[in-house]
Amino acid sequence: MNKSKSKLKILPLGGLEQIGMNITIFEYEDDIIVVDCGIAFPEDEMLGIDLVIPDVEYLKTNIDKVRGIVLTHGHEDHIGALPYVLRDINVPIYGTKLTIGLVENKLREHKILNDVTRNVITPGQKISLGVFNIEFIRTTHSIPDPVALAITTPVGVVVHTGDFKIDFTPIYGKPIDLQKFAEIGKKGVLLLMADSTNAERPGYTMSETTVARAFDELFSDFKGKRIIVATFASNVDRVQQIIHAAGKYKRKVVVEGRSMINVVATAIELGYIKMPPKMMITHEEMDQYRDGQIVIITTGSQGEPMAALSRMASKTHRHISIQKGDKVILSSKPIPGNEKTVSKVINSLFSQGAEVIFEDTHVSGHAYQEELKLIHSLVMPKYFVPLHGEVRHMKKHAELAESLGMRPDRITILAPGDVYELDFHSAEKTGHVNSQPIFVDGLGVGDVGSVVLRDRQKLSQDGLLTVVITMSKQTREVLAGPDIVSRGFVYVRESSDMMVEAKAVVLKALDQCSRKNIRDWNKIKMSVRDALRDYLWVQTKRNPMILPVIMEVDA
């Protein structure tokens, strides 16, 4: 038997060196399973991009081997890419009740719900997909129904924690099943793959119930004032706490933001959010109540430009305006890179007379160091791969594993696309597959690549010059122009002298082409572009995009 075929292959296509886009492939001979399939949010330089999804070309190439996609929980960075991926890789998906409910919302929106086989599992259940036997282990996170996975393979057991924290007083459901981790650890675990997001933080994560106390104090202090709470739409436990506080202080609840409305509706329908009858009202009904009787739960805690809170802050929301005296609570921590946009929204809210509270109303859903140590000690793996985090988080998690006695040569930090092969005797990186992310822009998936992004960055920095010339098709003689149109480069009226000289530069380039008997349109355009670029650089030290347009006329 081929040596590589006798080993378990693990290929993470995302979720490493970044926060988000979690997806990992497990392959053994003729069987593949996929764990999670999430999105990442665009970085500042990804101009115009809405979402970033993983490149699943490897799965397309091996579609006959793919047995299913197993989901650990319902956050966007673990399920958000499914509507795009399932179009090409239509395989069964497996997840807990809330996770599948949230996925079904997305599939319905993309009009592929009836094409996809969904399987609801419960913690403690076991399923078989090809050679893989998967046991779902109850954990706790900032959304109900998260699970870790114990994946039994022909070479040993792999424990994949998913995103987790150790919360003994969760808002919904039972605490994490540490006994199951211990049982699996006693039987022997080949590999642990664990959440690294908070590996730099000492101690323990605070329980989600501590946020409930903060909300209680704030709602008590803000009697008579309208309260607006912004949080992640998928943070169902947080939404439930806001509803508890609203009920205690006899407030009606208004839900704003498309994703928030969808998630709350699904969570109520499935029983994960409890709300008294007639407590929820629409924005049209708000006028029937005093400010002190209203709480608005909304999206936009990360300063997303199109989210409901951002539109309220910029006075572009169609239904809700910020009023003087409003109390706005940001119940989340800014994702790295979002600090500027969050700060901008906060300043806009303050300028309109609102008071913004952004401290003590959030706890992390990810394990701190002492919780990670506990999982390592219970599982006692032979090998370890840190998951879910930036490079510094994974390196810190590797150091933590080493401090617990694990040999450094048994710890491997992977990058997206790395091929990691292991059996009982060895574990090593053996190759790499393409894992360049795919950009989603509007309805376009993958039609914006690095070249287009580079053009967008160039346009945003130095602008565009269009040079329009009318020339004879037969003689290549200039009949009209050149006309130069500036967009985002200089204000033409204030740069008329430079524009006159620029036209002269273009005419000189055309004259040189004529003298050299250059008749190819592309070469003529290139000559114009090069000459104009050199001139403008000397004049302005800017490098705009130059677009020569030649109109051919029979003359």
Side-chain angles (χ1 to χ4, degrees):
M1 183 181 290
N2 185 293
K3 183 180 177 183
S4 64
K5 286 280 187 180
S6 64
K7 292 190 175 186
L8 173 68
K9 281 186 184 180
I10 299 176
L11 298 82
L13 298 180
L16 307 175
E17 301 182 348
Q18 65 182 138
I19 302 295
M21 206 169 74
N22 298 287
I23 176 170
T24 307
I25 296 169
F26 293 81
E27 178 179 359
Y28 186 85
E29 295 185 354
D30 295 325
D31 293 296
I32 287 175
I33 60 170
V34 182
V35 174
D36 291 330
C37 188
I39 60 166
F41 292 103
E43 297 172 8
D44 288 346
E45 64 269 20
M46 297 178 183
L47 302 172
I49 300 302
D50 299 320
L51 301 172
V52 185
I53 63 174
D55 183 349
V56 292
E57 189 60 39
Y58 185 87
L59 293 176
K60 292 181 192 176
T61 304
N62 295 279
I63 185 63
D64 293 340
K65 295 183 178 182
V66 184
R67 306 296 169 232
I69 299 175
V70 182
L71 306 171
T72 59
H73 65 283
H75 277 156
E76 287 292 310
D77 58 334
H78 292 258
I79 67 170
L82 281 171
Y84 305 98
V85 169
L86 288 170
R87 289 173 180 163
D88 299 314
I89 305 160
N90 193 347
V91 297
I93 58 174
Y94 300 81
T96 51
K97 187 168 70 169
L98 179 60
T99 303
I100 294 297
L102 295 174
V103 169
E104 287 177 344
N105 269 347
K106 295 181 173 298
L107 302 183
R108 192 177 294 113
E109 190 176 318
H110 286 256
K111 297 181 173 56
I112 59 172
L113 178 63
N114 295 329
D115 301 329
V116 178
T117 303
R118 291 98 56 201
N119 300 277
V120 175
I121 57 88
T122 55
Q125 187 175 337
K126 298 178 182 178
I127 63 170
S128 294
L129 298 176
V131 296
F132 299 101
N133 295 306
I134 304 160
E135 182 173 4
F136 296 85
I137 308 168
R138 185 178 67 248
T139 59
T140 44
H141 187 39
S142 55
I143 187 172
D145 265 7
V147 288
L149 309 173
I151 306 169
T152 301
T153 78
V155 299
V157 175
V158 177
V159 172
H160 184 299
T161 66
D163 287 354
F164 81 101
K165 65 190 282 188
I166 297 178
D167 191 343
F168 295 112
T169 54
I171 300 301
Y172 181 95
K174 298 178 181 178
I176 184 172
D177 191 351
L178 293 176
Q179 182 178 346
K180 179 57 67 177
F181 281 101
E183 287 174 8
I184 293 167
K186 283 181 181 177
K187 293 176 184 176
V189 170
L190 180 67
L191 172 69
L192 173 64
M193 304 179 78
D195 180 8
S196 306
T197 309
N198 278 336
E200 292 180 314
R201 300 191 174 195
Y204 298 86
T205 320
M206 298 288 282
S207 171
E208 187 69 25
T209 53
T210 59
V211 178
R213 293 194 289 273
F215 278 133
D216 189 275
E217 291 176 11
L218 290 170
F219 275 58
S220 176
D221 291 343
F222 297 156
K223 286 176 182 176
K225 301 292 185 181
R226 192 170 67 164
I227 296 175
I228 302 171
V229 187
T231 189
F232 290 112
S234 57
N235 196 337
V236 175
D237 286 345
R238 191 70 46 81
V239 173
Q240 179 67 79
Q241 293 177 86
I242 300 165
I243 290 168
H244 282 324
K248 179 176 179 180
Y249 292 94
K250 296 180 170 52
R251 289 177 180 260
K252 297 292 184 181
V253 171
V254 179
V255 178
E256 273 300 315
R258 186 170 61 90
S259 57
M260 183 69 76
I261 291 169
N262 289 339
V263 170
V264 169
T266 301
I268 289 173
E269 181 184 339
L270 297 177
Y272 291 89
I273 287 180
K274 310 290 185 186
M275 182 183 290
K278 299 181 181 179
M279 185 181 192
M280 188 184 294
I281 61 172
T282 64
H283 50 257
E284 290 94 346
E285 298 172 288
M286 285 172 55
D287 291 341
Q288 302 171 24
Y289 300 90
R290 298 189 304 276
D291 286 351
Q293 295 177 295
I294 297 290
V295 59
I296 299 167
I297 306 175
T298 181
T299 54
S301 61
Q302 295 299 309
E304 309 96 308
M306 297 308 294
L309 184 65
S310 297
R311 286 185 281 123
M312 293 176 206
S314 61
K315 303 181 182 179
T316 58
H317 196 284
R318 288 184 294 174
H319 309 296
I320 299 174
S321 300
I322 297 297
Q323 302 169 180
K324 188 173 182 180
D326 280 348
K327 307 298 181 182
V328 181
I329 301 170
L330 297 186
S331 186
S332 70
K333 183 182 177 185
I335 294 170
N338 286 359
E339 293 89 353
K340 283 185 179 179
T341 52
V342 172
S343 180
K344 185 178 178 182
V345 170
I346 291 172
N347 285 326
S348 295
L349 292 167
F350 270 117
S351 70
Q352 293 181 59
E355 180 184 349
V356 185
I357 294 89
F358 45 89
E359 295 178 355
D360 303 324
T361 59
H362 176 68
V363 295
S364 179
H366 300 270
Y368 282 22
Q369 288 181 359
E370 295 306 312
E371 296 156 86
L372 294 174
K373 288 179 183 177
L374 179 54
I375 292 298
H376 278 264
S377 300
L378 292 175
V379 171
M380 299 180 291
K382 182 171 184 177
Y383 302 110
F384 171 56
V385 169
L387 280 184
H388 304 174
E390 299 171 5
V391 174
R392 61 195 176 98
H393 303 135
M394 295 190 293
K395 282 190 175 292
K396 196 67 181 179
H397 201 171
E399 291 172 12
L400 185 145
E402 208 174 320
S403 73
L404 293 172
M406 179 167 274
R407 285 167 35 186
D409 61 330
R410 293 185 175 179
I411 302 168
T412 306
I413 295 176
L414 300 176
D418 280 348
V419 179
Y420 178 66
E421 296 192 40
L422 73 161
D423 57 17
F424 187 75
H425 304 289
S426 66
E428 59 184 344
K429 286 189 274 191
T430 58
H432 193 84
V433 300
N434 182 50
S435 62
Q436 287 299 311
I438 304 295
F439 302 124
V440 179
D441 183 0
L443 295 176
V445 179
D447 57 349
V448 176
S450 57
V451 174
V452 175
L453 275 186
R454 203 158 52 239
D455 286 348
R456 289 182 180 182
Q457 289 165 7
K458 191 175 182 63
L459 287 168
S460 73
Q461 291 163 359
D462 294 320
L464 168 72
L465 277 185
T466 304
V467 184
V468 183
I469 312 158
T470 304
M471 299 182 73
S472 167
K473 188 174 183 180
Q474 288 81 22
T475 66
R476 299 301 194 259
E477 180 185 354
V478 177
L479 302 177
D483 294 317
I484 300 178
V485 180
S486 169
R487 291 290 180 269
F489 172 55
V490 292
Y491 186 46
V492 174
R493 288 185 184 178
E494 295 179 358
S495 307
S496 55
D497 291 344
M498 186 173 71
M499 286 299 163
V500 169
E501 290 181 20
K503 290 180 182 180
V505 169
V506 173
L507 287 171
K508 184 179 179 181
L510 292 170
D511 183 55
Q512 288 177 347
C513 288
S514 177
R515 289 182 185 180
K516 295 177 182 177
N517 200 29
I518 296 173
R519 301 183 62 81
D520 182 273
W521 292 122
N522 288 327
K523 289 182 180 178
I524 293 172
K525 289 180 182 179
M526 193 178 299
S527 297
V528 169
R529 188 184 297 119
D530 291 346
L532 196 52
R533 179 184 291 118
D534 292 344
Y535 168 74
L536 294 173
W537 177 255
V538 171
Q539 295 297 316
T540 67
K541 292 296 183 284
R542 295 186 218 162
N543 193 14
M545 183 175 287
I546 298 170
L547 187 64
V549 178
I550 298 178
M551 315 283 288
E552 300 177 55
V553 177
D554 288 318

